[in-house]
Each structure stands twice: as C-alpha cells, then as structure tokens.
Amino acid sequence: DGGITQSPKYLFRKEGQNVTLSCEQNLNHDAMYWYRQDPGQGLRLIYYSQIVNDFQKGDIAEGYSVSREKKESFPLTVTSAQKNPTAFYLCASSLLAGGETDTQYFGPGTRLTVL
Amino acid sequence: AQSVTQLDSQVPVFEEAPVELRCNYSSSVSVYLFWYVQYPNQGLQLLLKYLSGSTLVESINGFEAEFNKSQTSFHLRKPSVHISDTAEYFCAVNGGSQGNLIFGKGTKLSVKP
C-alpha cells in the first residue's frame, strides 16, 4: 500500500530533551511538509521541502529542525528551544514541488506530550 | 498573504438533517480551495477540491461545495448527514509557489441520533 507513515504515534518528552519524529512516504512525491495542530488553531506550517537536500522554514519554524537526505524521508526534530512543544504533528506530501493544485496526503500524526 | 476563515468552530446537528459548514477566503488572483476531513486522532483526508471549471464540486460520500468568487466563499454542504460524518472539517487555500496549504481553524461537526 502506498502512503505516509509517521512514528511513533505517541511520544512523551521531558523538558530539555530533543526528540525526533519520523515521516516516511512511498508515494514517490517530491514535496513534503510538517504541520503542527493545536486545538482550535487549525494546522500551521513548520517546515517544507520541495527536493532532496533542500528545505525551507514555514510560519512557526523556531525550535524545530528538519533534514531531507532521502526523497522518501523527512524527519522533524523538536528541540529544547521550542517553548511549547505539546501538540499533534502531521506530516504531508504532494506530488510536485510547488504544485499549488496538488492534493496533499497526510500521515496519521504523532502526538507529542512534554512532561 | 492568503487566509481562510471558518466561521463556526462547532456545528451540532441531528442525523438526517442538512448541514452547511462555512468557509471564506481572502481574495487573490489564483485561488485553489480544498476541504479536508479529520476523524479523531487521525490525519487529514481530502474531501473535495476546487481548481477551475464548474463552481460546484462533489465528493463521493455526498458532500458538495460551491465556489463563489463574488462572496469569496467555499461553503461545504450535505443534504442529509449520518452519525459517521462526525469529524472535524478543515477548509484550506493554496499558499503560493511553495505548494503548502493555508488552513482554517476547523469546524467540528457533531451528528446526534
């Protein structure tokens, strides 16, 4: 089955720790995205990547970092600099870089809780 | 910059009643509009999208949305809802050449028996 997988489904972090959220897609999509979802806030863009070895900051990139070493993988690291990291994190991909009409396909999400 | 406003955060309805979820967007030259649905603790799934052509777009499960340029709206409707339609619905607009989407804050549809 083609799709996007995210792991883990639930993640608990102590304050001051960095954690990495995994996102893998086997759709052969060029573009990948990370969104953060908070209750009543919709989805906000953290980072996006249109091609391997290149990525751009979104609206709320502070305290996060990403890498895109392989086309199918786009991991997100939540660093200790992120002041309020507890949220639901969604990874998405779309077929073409910069494709404004493309459908974005979403993974099942990772719920991060800071203890 | 593009923006999306979903006017209702929660919409409770009874089963088999009609429903309309409202969405307004900021006007721009090229607008592509999307409705996504999210079931509890899951990712988002595309419901329908408007790119061009007919202003009325339909999904396979009975939802439809109408693109209204003069009112900058893209409201989602269903003539008769089911319990299984209970979910959160997000309206989104294209964010520009980077290909990202700009989302509204979501509307929680609660269908009661």
Side-chain angles (χ1 to χ4, degrees):
Chain A
D1 278 341
I4 301 178
T5 57
Q6 291 185 242
S7 62
K9 186 171 178 65
Y10 298 96
L11 186 57
F12 297 91
R13 190 194 92 173
K14 293 181 181 179
E15 285 192 21
Q17 283 183 336
N18 292 355
V19 290
T20 298
L21 284 58
S22 170
C23 176
E24 303 276 333
Q25 54 100 359
N26 61 4
L27 301 168
N28 200 31
H29 285 177
D30 285 335
M32 296 187 75
Y33 309 86
W34 273 106
Y35 293 93
R36 170 180 170 143
Q37 184 179 15
D38 296 282
Q41 295 298 313
L43 280 72
R44 293 178 290 171
L45 182 66
I46 305 173
Y47 268 97
Y48 64 97
S49 169
Q50 297 190 1
I51 195 171
V52 174
N53 292 322
D54 184 59
F55 47 84
Q56 304 297 327
K57 292 182 179 180
D59 300 321
I60 56 166
E62 184 175 352
Y64 299 98
S65 65
V66 293
S67 63
R68 186 91 186 271
E69 297 176 1
K70 299 185 295 183
K71 186 175 184 178
E72 59 269 25
S73 179
F74 191 41
L76 173 74
T77 296
V78 184
T79 76
S80 56
Q82 168 50 234
K83 298 303 181 189
N84 185 21
T86 294
F88 192 49
Y89 291 87
L90 289 160
C91 179
S93 71
S94 61
L95 181 61
L96 298 174
E100 292 190 78
T101 61
D102 285 352
T103 296
Q104 286 194 14
Y105 295 85
F106 285 80
T110 292
R111 188 167 297 279
L112 173 64
T113 303
V114 174
L115 303 174
Chain B
Q2 300 271 39
S3 66
V4 175
T5 302
Q6 290 185 245
L7 297 165
D8 306 297
S9 59
Q10 298 188 50
V11 173
V13 294
F14 287 105
E15 193 174 18
E16 298 184 5
V19 70
E20 178 180 81
L21 307 183
R22 297 180 292 170
C23 172
N24 287 90
Y25 64 92
S26 59
S27 182
S28 181
V29 175
S30 297
V31 173
Y32 308 109
L33 293 155
F34 305 78
W35 275 102
Y36 280 83
V37 59
Q38 184 181 35
Y39 299 101
N41 293 311
Q42 294 186 24
L44 277 67
Q45 304 170 33
L46 179 72
L47 199 56
L48 47 77
K49 64 181 179 182
Y50 170 78
L51 303 180
S52 65
S54 173
T55 57
L56 186 66
V57 289
E58 299 177 349
S59 71
I60 58 173
N61 57 355
F63 282 95
E64 64 180 29
E66 185 163 18
F67 172 63
N68 188 320
K69 189 173 182 178
S70 62
Q71 297 187 10
T72 61
S73 68
F74 190 55
H75 301 333
L76 182 70
R77 301 183 182 96
K78 189 171 185 179
S80 176
V81 293
H82 302 291
I83 298 287
S84 59
D85 293 324
T86 295
E88 190 160 16
Y89 293 79
F90 291 93
C91 182
V93 67
N94 55 300
S97 60
Q98 61 267 33
N100 67 299
L101 293 172
I102 295 172
F103 287 88
K105 294 187 176 182
T107 297
K108 289 187 177 179
L109 175 62
S110 176
V111 182
K112 305 175 187 302

